[in-house]
Amino acid sequence: MNKITSIIGCAFCIAFLIGLATTLTRSMMIGFKDVLPVYILMGLVIVMMLYEAFGDKKK
């Protein structure tokens, strides 16, 4: 049950973060070079979130 909850929570969070990052690229005044740091940070956040949720926990 915990795995299913983690998968659903991570999916919602990833969808939100990707939607937030792609909203910036729709503006005509903001170029790709301006949004690149946002994509990098979002990628790092998603990787860290998935590692924390599904990483090998030794207990």
Side-chain angles (χ1 to χ4, degrees):
M1 188 66 172
N2 286 337
K3 283 278 193 198
I4 295 171
T5 308
S6 296
I7 290 170
I8 293 170
C10 286
F12 279 132
C13 187
I14 289 170
F16 173 75
L17 290 174
I18 290 174
L20 188 66
T22 56
T23 301
L24 291 173
T25 60
R26 300 206 186 243
S27 175
M28 293 298 218
M29 298 176 69
I30 300 175
F32 181 73
K33 288 182 183 178
D34 298 327
V35 184
L36 189 60
V38 175
Y39 283 138
I40 293 170
L41 285 174
M42 291 295 176
L44 287 173
V45 167
I46 290 170
V47 167
M48 288 190 304
M49 178 184 59
L50 291 175
Y51 178 74
E52 181 68 28
F54 301 111
D56 214 15
K57 295 178 181 162
K58 295 181 181 180
K59 285 186 177 181

PDB file of all heavy atoms in Angstrom, residues 1-7:
ATOM      1  N   MET A   1       0.822  -1.195   0.000  1.00  0.00           N
ATOM      2  CA  MET A   1       0.000   0.000   0.000  1.00  0.00           C
ATOM      3  C   MET A   1       0.868   1.262   0.000  1.00  0.00           C
ATOM      4  O   MET A   1       0.517   2.245  -0.648  1.00  0.00           O
ATOM      5  CB  MET A   1      -0.925  -0.034   1.218  1.00  0.00           C
ATOM      6  CG  MET A   1      -1.948   1.051   1.211  1.00  0.00           C
ATOM      7  SD  MET A   1      -3.080   0.803  -0.154  1.00  0.00           S
ATOM      8  CE  MET A   1      -4.286   2.017   0.172  1.00  0.00           C
ATOM      9  N   ASN A   2       1.982   1.228   0.710  1.00  0.00           N
ATOM     10  CA  ASN A   2       2.851   2.407   0.753  1.00  0.00           C
ATOM     11  C   ASN A   2       3.474   2.697  -0.613  1.00  0.00           C
ATOM     12  O   ASN A   2       3.667   3.855  -0.961  1.00  0.00           O
ATOM     13  CB  ASN A   2       3.951   2.224   1.792  1.00  0.00           C
ATOM     14  CG  ASN A   2       3.414   2.355   3.196  1.00  0.00           C
ATOM     15  OD1 ASN A   2       2.373   2.967   3.412  1.00  0.00           O
ATOM     16  ND2 ASN A   2       4.121   1.767   4.141  1.00  0.00           N
ATOM     17  N   LYS A   3       3.802   1.637  -1.360  1.00  0.00           N
ATOM     18  CA  LYS A   3       4.382   1.836  -2.698  1.00  0.00           C
ATOM     19  C   LYS A   3       3.374   2.490  -3.631  1.00  0.00           C
ATOM     20  O   LYS A   3       3.716   3.386  -4.396  1.00  0.00           O
ATOM     21  CB  LYS A   3       4.829   0.491  -3.294  1.00  0.00           C
ATOM     22  CG  LYS A   3       6.108  -0.016  -2.736  1.00  0.00           C
ATOM     23  CD  LYS A   3       7.262   0.646  -3.425  1.00  0.00           C
ATOM     24  CE  LYS A   3       8.519  -0.103  -3.082  1.00  0.00           C
ATOM     25  NZ  LYS A   3       9.704   0.647  -3.342  1.00  0.00           N
ATOM     26  N   ILE A   4       2.116   2.047  -3.578  1.00  0.00           N
ATOM     27  CA  ILE A   4       1.084   2.610  -4.450  1.00  0.00           C
ATOM     28  C   ILE A   4       0.868   4.084  -4.117  1.00  0.00           C
ATOM     29  O   ILE A   4       0.770   4.924  -5.014  1.00  0.00           O
ATOM     30  CB  ILE A   4      -0.232   1.808  -4.317  1.00  0.00           C
ATOM     31  CG1 ILE A   4      -0.025   0.382  -4.818  1.00  0.00           C
ATOM     32  CG2 ILE A   4      -1.363   2.488  -5.056  1.00  0.00           C
ATOM     33  CD1 ILE A   4      -1.185  -0.540  -4.526  1.00  0.00           C
ATOM     34  N   THR A   5       0.816   4.404  -2.828  1.00  0.00           N
ATOM     35  CA  THR A   5       0.650   5.790  -2.405  1.00  0.00           C
ATOM     36  C   THR A   5       1.830   6.639  -2.849  1.00  0.00           C
ATOM     37  O   THR A   5       1.651   7.774  -3.299  1.00  0.00           O
ATOM     38  CB  THR A   5       0.500   5.854  -0.876  1.00  0.00           C
ATOM     39  OG1 THR A   5      -0.528   4.959  -0.462  1.00  0.00           O
ATOM     40  CG2 THR A   5       0.162   7.250  -0.420  1.00  0.00           C
ATOM     41  N   SER A   6       3.039   6.101  -2.735  1.00  0.00           N
ATOM     42  CA  SER A   6       4.230   6.835  -3.168  1.00  0.00           C
ATOM     43  C   SER A   6       4.211   7.070  -4.675  1.00  0.00           C
ATOM     44  O   SER A   6       4.571   8.151  -5.145  1.00  0.00           O
ATOM     45  CB  SER A   6       5.490   6.064  -2.788  1.00  0.00           C
ATOM     46  OG  SER A   6       5.611   5.966  -1.403  1.00  0.00           O
ATOM     47  N   ILE A   7       3.802   6.068  -5.435  1.00  0.00           N
ATOM     48  CA  ILE A   7       3.747   6.213  -6.894  1.00  0.00           C
ATOM     49  C   ILE A   7       2.729   7.277  -7.289  1.00  0.00           C
ATOM     50  O   ILE A   7       3.010   8.132  -8.137  1.00  0.00           O
ATOM     51  CB  ILE A   7       3.417   4.852  -7.555  1.00  0.00           C
ATOM     52  CG1 ILE A   7       4.604   3.904  -7.407  1.00  0.00           C
ATOM     53  CG2 ILE A   7       3.053   5.029  -9.016  1.00  0.00           C
ATOM     54  CD1 ILE A   7       4.308   2.475  -7.814  1.00  0.00           C
TER      55      ILE A   7
END
